[in-house]
Amino acid sequence: SLSHGSKKTTILFYSLLDESDFKYVEKAKAAGYTVGAVSYLSNVTKFGFRIVFEYQKPLGLTNEEIDLMVEYFRYWTILRQC
């Protein structure tokens, strides 16, 4: 629910099945939330943990921070399948 969290400090990330789900992103923006990134499930499936590189620019992350995210999500990709 979008009623939880402060609009000033909450950044939303979406993984959408297809473009028809973009209405949820628009609803969040209209409610005053910041949308940090939008990914499509097909890209998440295709790129796996490498999808974290999409978050570097919107979040202003350093290369070192991205390296930490890659390290974490690389293992998450394996663990989530167990």
Side-chain angles (χ1 to χ4, degrees):
S1 168
L2 292 179
S3 63
H4 300 291
S6 169
K7 293 178 185 177
K8 292 181 180 180
T9 59
T10 302
I11 300 173
L12 302 177
F13 295 87
Y14 283 91
S15 294
L16 307 177
L17 290 176
D18 56 43
E19 290 187 20
S20 68
D21 287 337
F22 203 78
K23 61 187 171 218
Y24 301 110
V25 175
E26 293 300 327
K27 183 178 178 181
K29 287 180 179 180
Y33 286 91
T34 300
V35 176
V38 176
S39 297
Y40 290 96
L41 186 58
S42 60
N43 286 340
V44 174
T45 302
K46 182 177 178 179
F47 297 112
F49 69 86
R50 291 173 190 85
I51 198 86
V52 300
F53 292 103
E54 286 190 15
Y55 299 120
Q56 186 168 15
K57 188 174 180 180
L59 294 177
L61 299 172
T62 66
N63 288 337
E64 292 80 19
E65 290 168 324
I66 286 295
D67 288 343
L68 290 171
M69 287 180 68
V70 166
E71 184 177 336
Y72 175 84
F73 283 105
R74 180 180 61 177
Y75 294 115
W76 176 248
T77 300
I78 296 166
L79 290 173
R80 71 178 177 82
Q81 297 176 28
C82 295

